[in-house]
mmCIF file of all heavy atoms in Angstrom:
data_model
loop_
_atom_site.group_PDB
_atom_site.id
_atom_site.type_symbol
_atom_site.label_atom_id
_atom_site.label_comp_id
_atom_site.label_asym_id
_atom_site.label_seq_id
_atom_site.Cartn_x
_atom_site.Cartn_y
_atom_site.Cartn_z
ATOM 1 N N SER G 53 -4.278 -3.293 5.645
ATOM 2 C CA SER G 53 -3.278 -2.413 5.066
ATOM 3 C C SER G 53 -3.973 -1.172 4.537
ATOM 4 O O SER G 53 -5.197 -1.101 4.480
ATOM 5 C CB SER G 53 -2.551 -3.117 3.920
ATOM 6 O OG SER G 53 -1.519 -2.324 3.398
ATOM 7 N N SER G 54 -3.189 -0.114 4.183
ATOM 8 C CA SER G 54 -3.825 1.059 3.594
ATOM 9 C C SER G 54 -2.934 1.780 2.554
ATOM 10 O O SER G 54 -1.736 1.809 2.716
ATOM 11 C CB SER G 54 -4.206 2.068 4.724
ATOM 12 O OG SER G 54 -3.151 2.995 4.886
ATOM 13 N N PHE G 57 -0.924 4.761 3.942
ATOM 14 C CA PHE G 57 0.321 4.347 4.655
ATOM 15 C C PHE G 57 1.439 4.052 3.649
ATOM 16 O O PHE G 57 2.583 4.506 3.783
ATOM 17 C CB PHE G 57 0.092 3.132 5.552
ATOM 18 C CG PHE G 57 1.374 2.637 6.136
ATOM 19 C CD1 PHE G 57 1.878 3.228 7.279
ATOM 20 C CD2 PHE G 57 2.110 1.641 5.537
ATOM 21 C CE1 PHE G 57 3.130 2.801 7.859
ATOM 22 C CE2 PHE G 57 3.336 1.210 6.057
ATOM 23 C CZ PHE G 57 3.831 1.778 7.199
ATOM 24 N N ALA G 61 4.808 6.075 3.692
ATOM 25 C CA ALA G 61 5.982 5.398 4.222
ATOM 26 C C ALA G 61 7.033 5.156 3.183
ATOM 27 O O ALA G 61 8.254 5.055 3.499
ATOM 28 C CB ALA G 61 5.594 4.096 4.908
ATOM 29 N N CYS G 156 20.636 -6.056 -3.143
ATOM 30 C CA CYS G 156 20.265 -4.791 -3.858
ATOM 31 C C CYS G 156 21.484 -4.118 -4.438
ATOM 32 O O CYS G 156 21.301 -3.207 -5.272
ATOM 33 C CB CYS G 156 19.569 -3.833 -2.891
ATOM 34 S SG CYS G 156 17.941 -4.438 -2.479
ATOM 35 N N ARG G 195 1.766 -7.441 6.147
ATOM 36 C CA ARG G 195 1.346 -6.067 5.926
ATOM 37 C C ARG G 195 2.542 -5.085 6.005
ATOM 38 O O ARG G 195 2.508 -4.039 5.371
ATOM 39 C CB ARG G 195 0.260 -5.748 6.918
ATOM 40 C CG ARG G 195 0.016 -4.281 7.268
ATOM 41 C CD ARG G 195 -1.078 -4.180 8.258
ATOM 42 N NE ARG G 195 -0.554 -3.692 9.546
ATOM 43 C CZ ARG G 195 -1.045 -2.644 10.202
ATOM 44 N NH1 ARG G 195 -2.071 -2.008 9.735
ATOM 45 N NH2 ARG G 195 -0.494 -2.299 11.332
ATOM 46 N N ASP G 196 3.550 -5.451 6.828
ATOM 47 C CA ASP G 196 4.691 -4.500 7.000
ATOM 48 C C ASP G 196 5.527 -4.334 5.710
ATOM 49 O O ASP G 196 6.270 -3.384 5.587
ATOM 50 C CB ASP G 196 5.609 -4.992 8.080
ATOM 51 C CG ASP G 196 4.966 -4.792 9.460
ATOM 52 O OD1 ASP G 196 3.995 -4.007 9.559
ATOM 53 O OD2 ASP G 196 5.403 -5.474 10.423
ATOM 54 N N HIS G 198 4.354 -5.888 2.337
ATOM 55 C CA HIS G 198 3.741 -6.469 1.093
ATOM 56 C C HIS G 198 3.747 -5.527 -0.080
ATOM 57 O O HIS G 198 3.577 -5.910 -1.206
ATOM 58 C CB HIS G 198 2.320 -6.912 1.421
ATOM 59 C CG HIS G 198 1.321 -5.796 1.495
ATOM 60 N ND1 HIS G 198 0.232 -5.727 0.666
ATOM 61 C CD2 HIS G 198 1.253 -4.750 2.343
ATOM 62 C CE1 HIS G 198 -0.480 -4.641 0.999
ATOM 63 N NE2 HIS G 198 0.078 -4.056 2.001
ATOM 64 N N ILE G 236 18.222 -7.452 7.023
ATOM 65 C CA ILE G 236 17.480 -7.828 5.797
ATOM 66 C C ILE G 236 17.985 -9.242 5.490
ATOM 67 O O ILE G 236 19.152 -9.421 5.302
ATOM 68 C CB ILE G 236 17.836 -6.921 4.570
ATOM 69 C CG1 ILE G 236 17.723 -5.442 4.967
ATOM 70 C CG2 ILE G 236 16.845 -7.263 3.409
ATOM 71 C CD1 ILE G 236 18.232 -4.490 3.846
ATOM 72 N N GLN G 261 12.642 -8.094 6.892
ATOM 73 C CA GLN G 261 13.499 -6.983 7.264
ATOM 74 C C GLN G 261 13.031 -6.324 8.548
ATOM 75 O O GLN G 261 11.838 -6.345 8.884
ATOM 76 C CB GLN G 261 13.605 -5.951 6.112
ATOM 77 C CG GLN G 261 12.442 -4.992 6.018
ATOM 78 C CD GLN G 261 12.743 -3.748 5.211
ATOM 79 O OE1 GLN G 261 13.874 -3.489 4.888
ATOM 80 N NE2 GLN G 261 11.702 -3.039 4.830
ATOM 81 N N GLY G 263 12.696 -2.971 9.144
ATOM 82 C CA GLY G 263 12.703 -1.754 8.349
ATOM 83 C C GLY G 263 13.229 -0.550 9.050
ATOM 84 O O GLY G 263 14.035 0.218 8.469
ATOM 85 N N ARG G 264 12.840 -0.359 10.310
ATOM 86 C CA ARG G 264 13.294 0.846 11.049
ATOM 87 C C ARG G 264 14.827 0.848 11.250
ATOM 88 O O ARG G 264 15.473 1.855 11.125
ATOM 89 C CB ARG G 264 12.639 0.860 12.455
ATOM 90 C CG ARG G 264 11.229 1.371 12.387
ATOM 91 C CD ARG G 264 11.220 2.884 12.408
ATOM 92 N NE ARG G 264 10.014 3.374 11.806
ATOM 93 C CZ ARG G 264 9.251 4.290 12.382
ATOM 94 N NH1 ARG G 264 9.546 4.752 13.535
ATOM 95 N NH2 ARG G 264 8.171 4.730 11.705
ATOM 96 N N VAL G 266 16.997 -0.849 9.422
ATOM 97 C CA VAL G 266 17.631 -0.657 8.088
ATOM 98 C C VAL G 266 17.710 0.819 7.784
ATOM 99 O O VAL G 266 18.792 1.336 7.402
ATOM 100 C CB VAL G 266 16.797 -1.410 7.011
ATOM 101 C CG1 VAL G 266 17.333 -1.054 5.609
ATOM 102 C CG2 VAL G 266 16.839 -2.885 7.222
ATOM 103 N N PHE G 267 16.637 1.486 8.001
ATOM 104 C CA PHE G 267 16.570 2.899 7.736
ATOM 105 C C PHE G 267 17.667 3.659 8.518
ATOM 106 O O PHE G 267 18.443 4.429 7.982
ATOM 107 C CB PHE G 267 15.169 3.437 8.231
ATOM 108 C CG PHE G 267 14.628 4.527 7.506
ATOM 109 C CD1 PHE G 267 13.671 4.304 6.512
ATOM 110 C CD2 PHE G 267 15.040 5.833 7.680
ATOM 111 C CE1 PHE G 267 13.120 5.368 5.761
ATOM 112 C CE2 PHE G 267 14.505 6.855 6.952
ATOM 113 C CZ PHE G 267 13.520 6.622 6.006
ATOM 114 N N ALA G 300 14.565 2.292 -2.984
ATOM 115 C CA ALA G 300 13.865 1.517 -1.913
ATOM 116 C C ALA G 300 12.823 2.308 -1.238
ATOM 117 O O ALA G 300 11.701 1.848 -0.957
ATOM 118 C CB ALA G 300 14.859 0.984 -0.891
ATOM 119 N N ASN G 301 13.135 3.591 -1.015
ATOM 120 C CA ASN G 301 12.247 4.386 -0.223
ATOM 121 C C ASN G 301 12.511 5.888 -0.467
ATOM 122 O O ASN G 301 13.610 6.314 -0.464
ATOM 123 C CB ASN G 301 12.534 4.040 1.297
ATOM 124 C CG ASN G 301 11.667 4.814 2.221
ATOM 125 O OD1 ASN G 301 11.792 6.052 2.368
ATOM 126 N ND2 ASN G 301 10.801 4.140 2.901
ATOM 127 N N MET G 304 14.266 7.942 2.257
ATOM 128 C CA MET G 304 15.678 7.562 2.316
ATOM 129 C C MET G 304 16.438 8.339 1.227
ATOM 130 O O MET G 304 17.500 8.870 1.507
ATOM 131 C CB MET G 304 15.814 6.060 2.036
ATOM 132 C CG MET G 304 16.269 5.253 3.207
ATOM 133 S SD MET G 304 16.161 3.551 2.769
ATOM 134 C CE MET G 304 17.417 2.893 3.836
ATOM 135 N N ASN G 331 10.419 -1.025 -5.213
ATOM 136 C CA ASN G 331 11.825 -1.419 -5.032
ATOM 137 C C ASN G 331 12.064 -2.592 -5.956
ATOM 138 O O ASN G 331 11.409 -3.620 -5.814
ATOM 139 C CB ASN G 331 12.027 -1.797 -3.557
ATOM 140 C CG ASN G 331 13.466 -2.176 -3.228
ATOM 141 O OD1 ASN G 331 14.243 -2.459 -4.122
ATOM 142 N ND2 ASN G 331 13.748 -2.188 -1.965
HETATM 143 N N1 COA L 1 -0.738 -0.358 6.227
HETATM 144 C C1 COA L 1 -1.075 0.381 7.297
HETATM 145 N N2 COA L 1 -0.327 0.472 8.420
HETATM 146 C C2 COA L 1 0.832 -0.190 8.433
HETATM 147 C C3 COA L 1 1.219 -0.969 7.354
HETATM 148 C C4 COA L 1 0.387 -1.040 6.204
HETATM 149 N N3 COA L 1 0.726 -1.777 5.110
HETATM 150 N N4 COA L 1 2.439 -1.533 7.610
HETATM 151 C C5 COA L 1 2.753 -1.123 8.878
HETATM 152 N N5 COA L 1 1.768 -0.312 9.336
HETATM 153 C C6 COA L 1 1.718 0.316 10.660
HETATM 154 C C7 COA L 1 2.654 -0.371 11.685
HETATM 155 O O1 COA L 1 1.945 -1.443 12.291
HETATM 156 C C8 COA L 1 2.954 0.743 12.672
HETATM 157 O O2 COA L 1 1.867 0.927 13.529
HETATM 158 P P1 COA L 1 2.126 1.340 15.077
HETATM 159 O O3 COA L 1 2.814 2.695 14.973
HETATM 160 O O4 COA L 1 0.762 1.356 15.590
HETATM 161 O O5 COA L 1 3.062 0.240 15.593
HETATM 162 C C9 COA L 1 3.056 1.957 11.769
HETATM 163 O O6 COA L 1 2.289 1.659 10.584
HETATM 164 C C10 COA L 1 4.453 2.350 11.370
HETATM 165 O O7 COA L 1 5.126 1.196 10.927
HETATM 166 P P2 COA L 1 6.699 1.156 10.676
HETATM 167 O O8 COA L 1 7.080 -0.223 10.188
HETATM 168 O O9 COA L 1 7.409 1.733 11.797
HETATM 169 O O10 COA L 1 6.736 2.117 9.375
HETATM 170 P P3 COA L 1 7.903 2.900 8.771
HETATM 171 O O11 COA L 1 7.528 4.342 8.725
HETATM 172 O O12 COA L 1 9.255 2.518 9.381
HETATM 173 O O13 COA L 1 7.930 2.390 7.248
HETATM 174 C C11 COA L 1 9.190 0.923 5.782
HETATM 175 C C12 COA L 1 8.158 1.049 6.955
HETATM 176 C C13 COA L 1 9.477 -0.573 5.540
HETATM 177 C C14 COA L 1 8.650 1.550 4.527
HETATM 178 C C15 COA L 1 10.492 1.697 6.236
HETATM 179 O O14 COA L 1 10.913 1.268 7.491
HETATM 180 C C16 COA L 1 11.630 1.500 5.244
HETATM 181 O O15 COA L 1 11.515 1.873 4.107
HETATM 182 N N6 COA L 1 12.781 0.950 5.725
HETATM 183 C C17 COA L 1 13.890 0.752 4.848
HETATM 184 C C18 COA L 1 13.481 -0.179 3.761
HETATM 185 C C19 COA L 1 14.572 -0.582 2.913
HETATM 186 O O16 COA L 1 15.305 0.211 2.354
HETATM 187 N N7 COA L 1 14.745 -1.834 2.724
HETATM 188 C C20 COA L 1 15.697 -2.334 1.865
HETATM 189 C C21 COA L 1 15.150 -3.533 1.247
HETATM 190 S S1 COA L 1 16.243 -3.991 0.029
#
Side-chain angles (χ1 to χ4, degrees):
S53 182
S54 93
F57 173 84
C156 289
R195 157 179 112 128
D196 288 343
H198 76 119
I236 312 171
Q261 80 162 347
R264 282 277 156 130
V266 172
F267 213 99
N301 179 292
M304 249 174 153
N331 182 344

